[in-house]
Amino acid sequence: MSGPLISDPLVSGHAETIQVKDYNPTVNFIDDDAIWSLLNNNQHPDKEAVRQVLEKARRLQGLTLEEVAVLLQNQDATVDEELFAVARGIKDAIYGNRIVLFAPLYVSNYCANACSYCGFSADNHELPRKTLSEQELIAEVETLEDMGHKRILAVYGEHPRNNARAIVDSIKTMYNVRKGKGGEIRRINVNCAPMDTEDFKLLKTAAIGTYQCFQESYHRTTYEQVHLKGRKKDFLYRLYAMHRAMEAGIDDVGIGVLFGLYDHKFELLAMLTHVQQLEQDCGIGPHTISFPRIEPADGSSLSERPPYVVDDATFKRLVAITRLAVPYTGLIMSTRENAELRRELLSLGVSQISAGSRTTPGGYNQEDDAAQFSLGDHRSMDEVVLDLVKHSHSIPSFCTGCYRKGRTGDHFIGLAKQQFIGKFCQPNALITFKEYLNDYASEQTRKAGEALIAAELDKLSPARRRNIEACLTRTDAGERDIYL
């Protein structure tokens, strides 16, 4: 690791174990009537009311549910442009212009649930089922390492064979794969079925990063209509998954809604209600929020005709409003969306994106013909990186330093609220990007990336520039995995 470039204003080391208050897992804290009341009472807000909300958001104070309801129902396109500008400013103020890159790795598509929108549904009898063997898993990781990836989101179908022990064993295998002088996966996040607290404790032993699980829909009637059988039918068991994960000591959790199942305004307010409940009961909200929209999936007629279509303009507003509402939370955009829209969303508060993705077990080494859903962005990793540099003027970041330095959970959020986390994000982004340029980039990407790094260094104070240049020099000399 590098020497200290900046002083951490919080105590260094791992965050204290999250203290989860007593909670009643039989109570549905999503109050449908209260959410609809907020929406009905804030219809057709005037321009001044919307601008007052935007002014509060500029101060990085977050928003109340009522203020979100005001923004959701704004009808003035000119004020929407102000909304987008505020979202850009908030993201830059907290995280700078870095964008974290990752790739999903589907370990198994066996699933015991019948979800009417998903290609992995247990009722899809045409889908070839597969769980990667140890050697197949190693081959997938090696391919991702050859692309330059350092972060993986390991994805498991919700099936008894994908139990906590099996997941832990597969994660250990992935962490042990090394290819080339810098080829290694440094952070593995996990998307898998909700577990009991004891199984979450076992999952934590695998040194995972974020535990990710989507409620899909917070509207209980809709939820019960689209989840036809399996453990996933239990709305409340899924709703309290993050409580149990944090009770087990997992610092960082990630939530999301599958937009298109129900009214998008209700879903966003309900998801933010979930955020508030986690803050109340666990002292901290989610580390990340994801924004999947329903995409066509083989074997799912519902996915071809979503009941509540969310168009691109509405989708952009949802992302921007979320950035204002929860300014310190990472916002993730997957390759479900096409390249052009993803580029636009980067300027509206998105801070993490996937690149070069495949959505079937073994998809990185064979034809991806049994995918969970259709992809919108088919570009390679290097093409995504080049686009970030040339069109978005963003620093592609492969940093995993916060996780390994203990800047997780409330420690990370504390730094973010002080607008201090960017003091780590920016240098680590530059150092890890330099590593990517040296080891994996095409000549065109390397030249564009070197120019971006030079421009970013010119923005720094002389002292910080010298320190970061020293790390870049060490990287050029062959040292790897330098982080603050």
Side-chain angles (χ1 to χ4, degrees):
M1 294 182 294
S2 67
L5 302 189
I6 47 182
S7 176
D8 188 333
L10 299 183
V11 177
S12 62
H14 289 280
E16 294 181 2
T17 301
I18 293 172
Q19 299 298 313
V20 180
K21 296 179 181 178
D22 288 338
Y23 61 92
N24 185 350
T26 67
V27 173
N28 181 13
F29 54 78
I30 304 299
D31 187 334
D32 292 17
D33 291 340
I35 290 172
W36 283 117
S37 178
L38 284 172
L39 290 168
N40 291 332
N41 292 338
N42 291 281
Q43 295 184 63
H44 311 296
D46 60 39
K47 185 179 293 187
E48 182 56 32
V50 175
R51 283 180 167 155
Q52 286 179 4
V53 175
L54 295 180
E55 184 55 39
K56 177 187 175 183
R58 285 189 180 93
R59 298 194 292 271
L60 307 180
Q61 296 177 349
L63 301 177
T64 66
L65 295 181
E66 184 168 16
E67 289 162 342
V68 171
V70 168
L71 295 184
L72 279 169
Q73 298 183 110
N74 169 56
Q75 301 296 316
D76 191 321
T78 61
V79 182
D80 269 350
E81 291 304 315
E82 295 179 37
L83 162 68
F84 295 158
V86 174
R88 281 192 292 273
I90 290 173
K91 190 268 177 180
D92 288 345
I94 296 172
Y95 294 111
N97 64 333
R98 68 93 168 109
I99 298 293
V100 172
L101 292 167
F102 73 95
L105 196 167
Y106 282 67
V107 180
S108 174
N109 64 5
Y110 277 90
C111 191
N113 301 315
C115 305
S116 57
Y117 50 82
C118 182
F120 287 177
S121 170
D123 285 346
N124 184 1
H125 302 297
E126 302 301 316
L127 179 75
R129 302 290 174 173
K130 184 177 185 62
T131 297
L132 296 179
S133 68
E134 183 176 22
Q135 287 308 118
E136 289 170 329
L137 184 57
I138 291 171
E140 290 287 278
V141 175
E142 287 180 339
T143 298
L144 289 170
E145 290 177 349
D146 282 340
M147 295 181 193
H149 277 295
K150 304 301 179 189
R151 288 178 178 233
I152 281 177
L153 172 64
V155 183
Y156 304 81
E158 300 191 13
H159 191 277
R161 70 169 58 207
N162 300 321
N163 56 48
R165 171 51 61 191
I167 291 173
V168 168
D169 289 344
S170 67
I171 291 170
K172 289 180 179 178
T173 296
M174 287 185 261
Y175 271 133
N176 285 330
V177 179
R178 300 285 190 276
K179 189 172 185 186
K181 60 181 178 180
E184 60 182 353
I185 300 303
R186 299 170 185 165
R187 175 168 175 149
I188 298 176
N189 301 326
V190 175
N191 183 310
C192 68
M195 301 177 180
D196 295 335
T197 302
E198 290 305 310
D199 281 339
F200 273 128
K201 289 179 180 178
L202 178 57
L203 181 62
K204 179 179 169 62
T205 66
I208 68 166
T210 301
Y211 169 69
Q212 184 188 85
C213 181
F214 303 155
Q215 188 66 22
E216 316 294 11
S217 174
Y218 286 94
H219 186 245
R220 190 166 186 172
T221 300
T222 297
Y223 184 95
E224 291 170 350
Q225 289 171 345
V226 300
H227 298 106
L228 308 178
K229 67 182 181 183
R231 186 71 182 271
K232 196 170 179 177
K233 279 183 63 67
D234 190 336
F235 178 87
L236 290 178
Y237 185 75
R238 196 171 190 89
L239 187 63
Y240 281 94
M242 300 311 175
H243 282 72
R244 296 191 301 275
M246 287 198 268
E247 197 171 43
I250 295 175
D251 291 338
D252 294 331
V253 298
I255 64 175
V257 165
L258 182 57
F259 286 103
L261 291 175
Y262 190 60
D263 183 276
H264 67 273
K265 298 186 293 294
F266 176 95
E267 295 286 23
L268 183 60
L269 285 171
M271 181 166 63
L272 294 174
T273 300
H274 193 180
V275 172
Q276 290 185 346
Q277 194 69 38
L278 290 173
E279 290 173 342
Q280 175 183 310
D281 295 342
C282 307
I284 185 172
H287 186 67
T288 59
I289 292 176
S290 298
F291 293 87
R293 282 192 291 184
I294 295 177
E295 294 293 339
D298 290 341
S300 166
S301 59
L302 183 147
S303 71
E304 302 287 345
R305 295 180 298 277
Y308 289 84
V309 174
V310 176
D311 61 31
D312 288 355
T314 301
F315 194 53
K316 289 190 288 186
R317 294 178 71 242
L318 288 171
V319 172
I321 291 169
T322 306
R323 173 51 69 205
L324 272 60
V326 285
Y328 309 107
T329 301
L331 303 187
I332 298 176
M333 191 58 56
S334 76
T335 45
R336 287 174 182 257
E337 307 301 335
N338 64 49
E340 181 179 353
L341 181 59
R342 293 219 301 168
R343 189 179 301 133
E344 291 184 62
L345 292 168
L346 289 175
S347 67
L348 303 180
V350 168
S351 54
Q352 298 185 30
I353 62 171
S354 53
S357 303
R358 298 293 184 270
T359 61
T360 193
Y364 291 105
N365 286 285
Q366 63 185 31
E367 189 67 27
D368 194 13
D369 59 355
Q372 186 182 24
F373 52 82
S374 299
L375 297 178
D377 188 346
H378 298 274
R379 295 173 298 169
S380 69
M381 170 76 147
D382 195 71
E383 289 171 327
V384 172
V385 169
L386 181 60
D387 187 76
L388 285 173
V389 172
K390 294 188 69 174
H391 297 288
S392 302
H393 307 291
S394 299
I395 307 169
S397 176
F398 302 86
C399 174
T400 58
C402 281
Y403 169 64
R404 289 181 290 165
K405 291 287 285 185
R407 295 188 292 264
T408 59
D410 56 355
H411 189 180
F412 180 92
I413 294 298
L415 290 169
K417 287 183 175 179
Q418 295 181 44
Q419 297 180 50
F420 202 87
I421 197 64
K423 304 296 184 182
F424 296 105
C425 292
Q426 206 80 348
N428 285 344
L430 290 170
I431 296 165
T432 57
F433 183 38
K434 178 67 168 175
E435 186 176 332
Y436 172 84
L437 294 176
N438 288 356
D439 293 346
Y440 305 103
S442 65
E443 186 61 28
Q444 181 183 13
T445 300
R446 185 176 298 109
K447 288 180 179 179
E450 295 285 2
L452 177 64
I453 290 175
E456 292 296 321
L457 290 173
D458 285 341
K459 300 176 184 178
L460 302 175
S461 68
R464 291 194 73 206
R465 176 172 181 152
R466 283 195 299 272
N467 285 328
I468 294 173
E469 285 181 327
C471 293
L472 298 177
T473 298
R474 289 163 58 192
T475 300
D476 283 336
E479 189 173 344
R480 294 293 176 267
D481 198 17
I482 302 170
Y483 58 91
L484 314 184

